[in-house]
Amino acid sequence: MSKTPNKNKTMNLTAIATLQIDNKMFANPRRIALLKAIDATGSISQGAKLADISYKAAFDAIKDMNSCHQQPLVNSEKGGKGGGGATLTRFGQRLIQMYDLLDKIQDMGLQALNDDNAPLDSLLGIMSRFSLQTSARNQLFGHITTIATHNLHDIVTIAITEHHHIQATITHGSTMRLHLKPNKDVVILIKGPAITVCSEENLIHGKRDRFDNQLLGTLTAMKQDRQSTEITISLTDEISICAFVDNQDVMDETLRLGMPIYALFHSTQVIVASMY
């Protein structure tokens, strides 16, 4: 009797990166491990032992890699009274660094595959979810919908959900330098103190009129000290935004968990980041 696969079980996937030159294998994780071992020991023979392969296999691999590429990866000296030695070239060191970078990118990709909410069509989206860390309390991923050009600045509108859009005021030079255009993926950063809040009950006081960004969500958490309160506003089940508000403002709003609430901030307080 066959067993039904457990759909809730996380897949334990791995990825192996192999580089080829003219359809011939040039580098793989085993060869990269050998290069790292040679770099650590200064010797092909000692590197082979550290990488747990035979000296002949190590020698053949180095010879093959050196002959496949225009630039050698390992410089070696024959043994003598003082013994031989081996050092990585600049290209060999950069190849190791590139493989380490690929490992990080692959790990993020595999994490994204196991996360239904991760955007597999955007490297920037995956980085913002799994890797990118900034000092800004709010880091949101979205795509540009419109760019309105003015004399000295542009107003960029970014959709972070179907119902939530954020405006950023940036210089026209920044728009050109970042190659911003509609449908391009971006990450937006907003510091918590730049955000204030407003309940629906207090809309009559006109507080919202002073802000060009007004995101409606649900108040899901509050943390308070003597001077200020950290307020978490959930826009969706997956996306939230945090504000740091003076305690007096919290008292004026009579906030309570579960209530609808607006996050208010100026477009000039929004930082836009993108990838080419």
Side-chain angles (χ1 to χ4, degrees):
M1 183 176 179
S2 61
K3 294 183 179 180
T4 301
N6 184 357
K7 295 182 179 180
N8 295 322
K9 185 178 180 180
T10 300
M11 293 181 289
N12 186 22
L13 297 176
T14 58
I16 299 176
T18 299
L19 300 184
Q20 294 184 336
I21 296 179
D22 296 330
N23 294 321
K24 181 180 179 181
M25 200 271 286
F26 171 62
N28 61 11
R30 187 173 178 83
R31 287 187 170 185
I32 295 300
L34 173 62
L35 292 177
K36 288 182 177 181
I38 292 172
D39 191 39
T41 62
S43 164
I44 294 178
S45 61
Q46 293 301 315
K49 291 180 180 179
L50 188 61
D52 195 26
I53 61 177
S54 68
Y55 174 78
K56 183 179 185 306
F59 182 85
D60 289 344
I62 297 303
K63 182 180 178 181
D64 186 48
M65 284 189 285
N66 279 349
S67 63
C68 280
H69 200 268
Q70 295 177 349
Q71 302 180 53
L73 282 77
V74 178
N75 287 326
S76 60
E77 297 178 0
K78 294 182 179 180
K81 184 176 181 181
T87 58
L88 297 191
T89 64
R90 172 67 173 161
F91 180 74
Q93 293 172 342
R94 286 179 59 79
L95 183 64
I96 288 177
Q97 292 173 336
M98 187 274 291
Y99 252 84
D100 289 342
L101 181 61
L102 282 179
D103 281 342
K104 294 177 182 178
I105 295 173
Q106 286 179 162
D107 287 344
M108 285 190 291
L110 294 177
Q111 289 182 66
L113 183 60
N114 287 319
D115 186 338
D116 289 338
N117 297 298
L120 279 173
D121 59 343
S122 171
L123 176 59
L124 181 61
I126 293 175
M127 290 179 61
S128 68
R129 188 173 183 87
F130 297 112
S131 179
L132 185 64
Q133 299 293 323
T134 72
S135 62
R137 183 65 178 85
N138 299 289
Q139 179 177 296
L140 303 167
F141 171 75
H143 66 273
I144 296 173
T145 56
T146 61
I147 299 177
T149 301
H150 299 266
N151 290 334
L152 297 177
H153 67 273
D154 296 338
I155 297 179
V156 182
T157 302
I158 300 125
I160 57 173
T161 75
E162 182 180 356
H163 304 292
H164 296 94
H165 294 71
I166 291 177
Q167 288 187 337
T169 297
I170 63 176
T171 65
H172 183 65
S174 293
T175 301
M176 300 299 293
R177 179 171 55 83
L178 297 174
H179 300 283
L180 301 183
K181 58 184 179 180
N183 296 319
K184 184 169 187 175
D185 293 335
V186 294
V187 170
I188 54 180
L189 308 174
I190 316 160
K191 291 185 176 181
I195 302 173
T196 188
V197 298
C198 179
S199 61
E200 288 189 314
E201 291 90 335
N202 286 342
L203 293 184
I204 57 174
H205 298 303
K207 187 175 182 179
R208 284 180 57 198
D209 296 339
R210 306 197 303 268
F211 298 90
D212 42 10
N213 282 300
Q214 306 171 10
L215 304 182
L216 179 61
T218 302
L219 198 163
T220 53
M222 287 192 296
K223 296 179 181 179
Q224 193 171 60
D225 60 20
R226 293 182 179 181
Q227 295 182 332
S228 60
T229 302
E230 179 186 271
I231 300 171
T232 301
I233 301 170
S234 294
L235 306 179
T236 68
D237 290 340
E238 292 289 329
I239 301 174
S240 62
I241 191 168
C242 288
F244 288 92
V245 183
D246 289 341
N247 286 340
Q248 183 59 51
D249 290 339
V250 173
M251 294 175 62
D252 293 342
E253 293 292 346
T254 60
L255 302 179
R256 62 188 182 279
L257 295 179
M259 68 181 293
I261 191 171
Y262 285 91
L264 309 176
F265 52 97
H266 296 291
S267 60
T268 54
Q269 297 295 320
V270 179
I271 297 174
V272 179
S274 73
M275 295 180 67
Y276 288 132

